[in-house]
Amino acid sequence: MKTRILILLSILFALGTSIDSQAQKLKKFGGLTEKKIGPKTIKVPYTDIVTYLGYASPGNEDEVVDNKKFYYIYVWVPAIAPELGVRMMSPVGKNKVKGATMSKAYEDNASSSDFFDTYITLERSDIISKDKITAEGVKSAKWVTLERNDDSSEMPKQPSGSSYNSLLRYKSDAGNPAKALTVGLYRIGFTTYKTGEVKGTFLAQVAAPIKLPGVVMAKTIEDLKKGL
């Protein structure tokens, strides 16, 4: 009887491990354009994706907004884009992305099991020239939130089993300057849905359906300028 119980537990453990492994695997990043392939309709994958790997820790937030501790990743977009997609997952886990920018904080904490319930925003500033990108310029810039997302069923589940990772897509409105995706400085804001500390590794991606040579992502303005 004990032998049967042990075998059953081993099977359940193996299945659980397999499910958890699959749940944490990042899939292709599809855009708003859809294509029918046989009986299925799929989202056509973005052709240009820039990836940033980071680690968020308490006390290093950039701003407190509505009692939530916000962190920012700055993004320079060098050309007019018809659409932008943004997604974030925590923890990074075993996901490997070729060509990803790795922050020092991530490299120091890559093996950490900490993760957080991601909540993201895509914001555009009124800075449209590289020479205006300074600490003071960014601080005094006008920022507009174009889109936001909390939980996405398209993203891998977190180790807790909950679909608390985030994904958003934003289509440019060329006829409305306030809603257009112009050349300029953007940022991804992230925090947790609930008020509290943000702690853990994360993978953030910005994507477009066309090639945008020169897109740069960085956690600080200083690092952003180094990449321009």
Side-chain angles (χ1 to χ4, degrees), residues 35-75:
K35 183 178 181 180
K36 193 171 181 63
I37 299 179
K40 294 184 178 181
T41 299
I42 67 166
K43 292 184 180 297
V44 178
Y46 285 117
T47 56
D48 196 15
I49 302 176
V50 180
T51 305
Y52 182 89
L53 302 177
Y55 180 79
S57 58
N60 289 327
E61 64 274 4
D62 295 297
E63 192 176 7
V64 176
V65 182
D66 296 330
N67 294 320
K68 291 186 179 182
K69 297 179 179 181
F70 260 83
Y71 296 70
Y72 297 118
I73 302 172
Y74 295 96
V75 185

Side-chain angles (χ1 to χ4, degrees), residues 8-24 159:
L8 180 59
L9 287 174
S10 297
I11 293 173
L12 290 173
F13 177 77
L15 287 173
T17 302
S18 175
I19 291 172
D20 180 67
S21 177
Q22 292 176 10
Q24 297 304 305

Side-chain angles (χ1 to χ4, degrees), residues 174-189:
N176 186 344
K179 296 184 178 181
L181 291 172
T182 58
V183 174
L185 181 65
Y186 293 73
R187 70 185 182 190
I188 301 169

Side-chain angles (χ1 to χ4, degrees), residues 76 101 104 130 133 214-228:
W76 172 253
T101 297
K104 180 63 165 56
K130 291 182 182 179
I133 302 178
V215 172
V216 180
M217 291 178 69
K219 185 66 185 68
T220 66
I221 294 300
E222 291 76 16
D223 287 342
L224 185 77
K225 293 183 70 174
K226 291 177 183 177
L228 294 177

